[in-house]
């Protein structure tokens, strides 16, 4: 049964599983060919949206890694970006000379990652790459190159598999287009 706010399911759990495994294998192999400090990649998940995708990715990623998290928010509960990312939870380890893979649920305007990437380089990271479950290139407000993405989507408001509307719906086991017509009078 799909949620009432779902207009259309874009990617099922099964499709996400297959694609995530593919990405994890590709990225594990990629780091085998790189010079990586301590042979360990630091995966940085941007909470909260990254959780289901990052967990899935971790189950399939075979290169040595550490997991860290940051809370960076730019959406204030609604469907539009506020355009001003803010770090609400910072890293508490040194990332000097480290190889970093940021794990995201979605790249839209690119403002969050632009900010985080610059911040991580400022903190001394050697290399910062981006893995995102969803890429929405039409939403870009800044140029942002994404090294790996699960799926490229159009300019639609998506929910589920980590993506929220008013902090809900992250638990849907699929990615769906939100029925935005219903949001105006929506009561939880
Ligand atoms: C969402 C998402 C990305 C960001 C993408 O986070 O997880 O971090 O927005 O948008 P952008 O490319 O336009 O910057 P949000 O601020 O909603 O926090 P959340 O992960 O807790 O949902």
């Amino acid at each position: 049964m799909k949620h009432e706010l779902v207009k259309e399911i874009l990617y099922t759990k099964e499709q996400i599983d297959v694609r995530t495994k593919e990405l994890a294998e590709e990225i594990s192999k990629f780091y085998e060919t790189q010079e990586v400090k301590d042979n360990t990649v630091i995966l940085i998940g941007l909470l909260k949206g990254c959780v289901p995708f990052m967990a899935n990715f971790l189950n399939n990623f075979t290169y040595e890694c550490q997991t860290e998290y940051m809370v960076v928010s730019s959406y204030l509960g609604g469907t539009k970006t506020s355009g001003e990312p803010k770090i609400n939870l910072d890293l508490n380890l040194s990332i000097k000379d480290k190889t970093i893979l940021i794990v995201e649920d979605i790249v839209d305007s690119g403002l969050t990652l632009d900010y985080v990437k610059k911040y991580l380089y400022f903190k001394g990271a050697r290399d910062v790459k981006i893995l995102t479950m969803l890429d929405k290139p039409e939403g870009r407000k800044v140029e942002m190159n994404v090294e790996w993405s699960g799926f490229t989507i159009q300019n639609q408001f998506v929910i589920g598999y980590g993506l929220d509307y008013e902090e809900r719906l992250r638990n849907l086991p699929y990615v769906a287009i939100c029925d935005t017509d219903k949001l105006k009078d929506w009561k939880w």
Side-chain angles (χ1 to χ4, degrees):
M1 254 289 280
K2 63 185 174 77
H3 191 280
E4 249 188 284
L5 283 178
V6 168
K7 189 168 177 188
E8 184 194 330
I9 294 180
L10 279 182
Y11 303 107
T12 62
K13 183 185 178 304
E14 290 70 28
Q15 288 172 309
I16 298 168
D17 284 350
V18 169
R19 183 67 185 125
T20 306
K21 191 164 190 287
E22 235 172 53
L23 282 166
E25 285 168 4
E26 182 187 330
I27 299 171
S28 303
K29 278 195 199 129
F30 170 78
Y31 284 117
E32 297 288 351
T33 68
Q34 303 297 297
E35 250 191 52
V36 176
K37 188 165 188 244
D38 303 325
N39 296 313
T40 303
V41 174
I42 315 284
L43 303 186
I44 300 182
L46 300 192
L47 295 171
K48 305 168 207 169
C50 75
V51 171
F53 176 61
M54 182 145 166
N56 199 344
F57 181 78
L58 277 173
N59 282 334
N60 293 283
F61 188 62
T62 52
Y63 195 87
E64 217 68 68
C65 65
Q66 276 176 251
T67 53
E68 297 291 332
Y69 298 90
M70 292 175 76
V71 174
V72 184
S73 281
S74 58
Y75 283 75
L76 304 170
T79 61
K80 290 243 165 68
T81 177
S82 71
E84 287 165 33
K86 187 170 165 265
I87 296 180
N88 296 326
L89 175 75
D90 206 344
L91 298 171
N92 51 20
L93 83 166
S94 164
I95 53 166
K96 186 143 176 42
D97 294 330
K98 297 285 193 180
T99 296
I100 290 178
L101 178 64
I102 301 175
V103 184
E104 260 287 26
D105 51 351
I106 187 166
V107 181
D108 187 354
S109 70
L111 291 167
T112 307
L113 282 179
D114 184 54
Y115 183 78
V116 172
K117 240 183 131 170
K118 282 178 184 153
Y119 177 76
L120 297 175
Y121 277 122
F122 170 76
K123 290 274 183 177
R126 179 193 291 179
D127 183 65
V128 181
K129 293 203 172 355
I130 296 167
L131 162 66
T132 183
M133 175 174 70
L134 304 176
D135 188 8
K136 198 197 271 187
E138 284 169 39
R140 288 295 194 283
K141 288 191 179 141
V142 287
E143 209 180 298
M144 176 51 59
N145 181 39
V146 167
E147 280 77 15
W148 294 284
S149 82
F151 306 98
T152 301
I153 61 166
Q154 298 187 329
N155 212 354
Q156 289 147 323
F157 181 54
V158 282
I159 48 177
Y161 215 87
L163 294 144
D164 74 305
Y165 170 63
E166 293 187 339
E167 294 299 330
R168 277 81 154 188
L169 308 177
R170 297 188 197 272
N171 56 326
L172 302 181
Y174 47 78
V175 170
I177 299 172
C178 182
D179 191 342
T180 46
D181 293 342
K182 290 189 184 156
L183 295 181
K184 200 160 51 77
D185 324 296
W186 184 257
K187 297 261 179 312
W188 294 108

